[in-house]
Amino acid sequence: SRLLRQRWEASPPGKPVILVTQGDPLAARGISAITRAVASELSLPRALVCLDDSIDPSHSRDADRDGVILELRYSMLAGVLEPPGAAPASLAALTRAVDSSLAAKNAAREAEGKPRLKEYYRDYALLQEVTKAALRAACGGVTVAHTAEEISPFSVTSFYEAGLAVGAVIESDMVRFTS
């Protein structure tokens, strides 16, 4: 919360702020607990973006909806990125970047004798990156807050590099967690 407050004091957002989460189920620890606490501490309403039921029927069903005033689906945000040129990064470019990153991560895991990432990583990486890109395009800006100082190279979060690579978000959009 402190880092977000500092960012917005130094560079005030041009529009009201809403904290966007991506369908994580309520848990005592982890991202759903963190986003609830940040929203409460900063007095922010929340928006929820979930995968369409045709992609993952449990994603929306299990999502934490505390304080949520707006709910969107992946397909709605993907539509913001099409046709090409509608946003800084097209859906096709973002998909290629995620697929390329996934292939590189799987090659690295195989080299380490580890199993490939589960198939659902692609869906959740696309949800993450399409959400950021579409909201940045539609709203004129986005602040991306990471909740860990060290990001595992094999986590869904690590796919943020795919969004950066195609200009879906830019480095100055990021608020890096520091302890």
Side-chain angles (χ1 to χ4, degrees):
S1 297
R2 173 184 52 83
L3 295 173
L4 288 170
R5 189 175 280 118
Q6 288 172 349
R7 161 64 70 88
W8 294 330
E9 286 171 358
S11 180
K15 297 179 181 178
V17 175
I18 189 166
L19 191 146
V20 180
T21 61
Q22 296 169 329
D24 296 279
L26 181 59
R29 298 175 48 105
I31 193 65
S32 64
I34 292 168
T35 55
R36 269 187 178 211
V38 169
S40 175
E41 189 172 318
L42 297 176
S43 301
L44 296 175
R46 291 175 54 189
L48 173 65
V49 180
C50 291
L51 289 168
D52 295 70
D53 288 345
S54 61
I55 300 170
D56 181 349
S58 69
H59 193 236
S60 175
R61 180 194 69 214
D62 297 342
D64 175 24
R65 288 181 167 77
D66 182 66
V68 170
I69 63 167
L70 174 68
E71 191 165 327
L72 303 166
R73 291 289 179 268
Y74 169 82
S75 60
M76 297 166 77
L77 294 179
V80 171
L81 303 179
E82 291 301 332
S90 70
L91 180 59
L94 207 43
T95 300
R96 283 191 301 274
V98 165
D99 287 344
S100 176
S101 182
L102 183 60
K105 290 174 189 303
N106 279 328
R109 289 181 64 83
E110 288 173 1
E112 294 176 13
K114 295 179 180 175
R116 297 172 62 81
L117 294 172
K118 302 281 187 195
E119 292 296 319
Y120 62 78
Y121 268 68
R122 181 178 188 270
D123 295 335
Y124 285 90
L126 281 169
L127 172 68
Q128 173 182 275
E129 295 312 306
V130 165
T131 297
K132 291 185 281 191
L135 293 178
R136 186 173 193 266
C139 300
V142 67
T143 303
V144 178
H146 287 160
T147 58
E149 201 161 359
E150 292 293 322
I151 297 172
S152 165
F154 302 120
S155 66
V156 170
T157 300
S158 71
F159 284 86
Y160 80 91
E161 294 169 342
L164 283 172
V166 297
V169 291
I170 56 175
E171 192 64 43
S172 62
D173 293 334
M174 305 286 177
V175 174
R176 308 250 183 225
F177 178 85
T178 56
S179 50

